[in-house]
Amino acid sequence: MAAVRYQRLLMALLLLGAGQLSFAAQPVRINGFISQGYLNSDKNNFLSESRDGTFELSEVGVTINSAPAERLRVGMQLLARDFGKSGNNELRLDWAYGDYRLNDEIGVRIGKIKRPMGLYNEERDSDFLHPLVFLPQSIYDEARRDMLIAYQGVGIYGTLPAPALGTLDYHLFRGGFNFPDDNLMSVGFLETGRGMVKQNNAKPLAQRNPAIPASVAKVKLTNKYIEGGQVILNTRIEGLRMAYSLLRGQQELFFDDSPTPQGELIIRSRAIYSLEYQTRRLTLATEYCETDRDQTMFGVTNQTGRSLEWYGMASYLLYDKLTMTLLYDVYYNDKHDQSGLAHAQRTGKPAYYSWRKDMAAGLRYDLNESWTIKGEWHAIDGAALYATAFNPTGPRRYWDFWAFKASFNF
Amino acid sequence: MVSRRAKCLWRMAAGVAILLTFGQAVWGAPVIVVNRDNPLSELTMAEVRQMFLGRTMAWSDGVLVEPVVQRGEIQDVFVGHFLGKSRQQYTIYWKKQLFTGKGLPPPELPDDRGVRSFVSRQRGAIGYIDEQAVDGTVKRIIVTE
């Protein structure tokens, strides 16, 4: 019932906001967006039951901003999204914070804040802000969205002069966050836990690990802390910027309502190096990331070391309103085992479970400043990044998917 | 012998050709204007860019910068020349700021008169208008590279 009331409130705010257009100096500004997509994949499901085609690819958001005093801004965004089993149109607080800017060099934000990570993390939920339906999944994967999207805490930020180089934007933060119950990472952890249970149960009683239960039915993730920062160098070369982002944090796993954690995921460092060059028609972007992490369950380390992630993307404005984008995107579960052979030996699973390579092409058409439609095709080699969780009979190595999406924003 | 009428037509055609070629430069090129009480008379291109992208908070005397933009073709010319962006890139830039809570886009006014009125009333304002529209109510700023 509460969800229905909030959805009605959201629609009322959307209608109210649609009547308030961009005139100068309004005390409270309401904006919003609605996106609806369609996803169809071949051979493998992609984070949802996509082999049969799915319309479970949508967002509705309303944003409220105000500048109640000099140097002070407050704002919030409510978001209802649906992506397979995640979101299910439940209205949630996407971000909400107060922002006091003392001067160009320093400001403070307190609240729930979109996390500065790479070039595009902060805007990932607003479909109309990026050229493709899906951002490069190696770094912006939907499965780990709930772990990467925002922090609740304190951030300091500002712009510093770097006379010889340009200007330097920075944002440092510390805080935590809550995993929603329907986060997609839980699906992966539960699948891993069940695999460990099955292997353990297959052993003679005397050889079984007593820490592994006889069965697991559900898992809950919690976050202990998250901290990190980002610096962006806006160079003196017009259109060229570079960024470095760093993240550290710790998550705990609780199976079947256990009062104590039975696993943890420690991110020792997630470092992203970013480069973007933009002219009026062309945008070139590339990012490289290594995530150094440890994952343990029931006292057993089932993942350790560094993953390797990178992509190259080019977008070109073909005509006034039509943009074409090409993407090559790569994820390796283990930087030092890019062939996947060590993973195959250890797990008995095919080597291609440890990588994901994506070649994509897409078109974006801006009917006007409010309406956008997109279509894209992805050809994938590999089954890393939670493909096994959504393909219980075993994902295929080569697969592809189409996605279309229309967005309206005001 | 060319008739007087033909000569007149040729002169008119030449005039139209000149206007079409140079009219933008003569009548359409936007210039940067600030409040008359603003002590500055010169800004660099980079400084103008920082202000209209919301990245500079205040003037050197501490007064908050209040950029204002104008709708229409003049905005395309301004965004391309001073900010180095296409209209789409500029629009997406401010939508990113708005939908992540990082900033509010500058107010958008319909014409030169609206911008002049805003700039003349707000001590920290900065805007752009057609060069021919500059009058004594605002101060024109020289922009250097």
Side-chain angles (χ1 to χ4, degrees), chain A residues 139-180:
Chain A
I139 292 176
Y140 303 102
D141 63 319
E142 286 298 322
R144 291 179 293 177
R145 174 193 174 276
D146 294 311
M147 189 177 72
L148 302 172
I149 191 68
Y151 68 91
Q152 290 166 210
V154 179
I156 60 169
Y157 74 99
T159 299
L160 303 173
L165 302 173
T167 59
L168 206 65
D169 297 336
Y170 73 92
H171 182 163
L172 308 173
F173 64 89
R174 165 97 189 184
F177 63 92
N178 296 314
F179 281 97

Side-chain angles (χ1 to χ4, degrees), chain A residues 289-301:
Chain A
C289 172
E290 290 186 11
T291 305
D292 186 9
R293 78 286 196 217
D294 276 335
Q295 180 183 305
T296 60
M297 272 188 215
F298 310 119
V300 176
T301 299

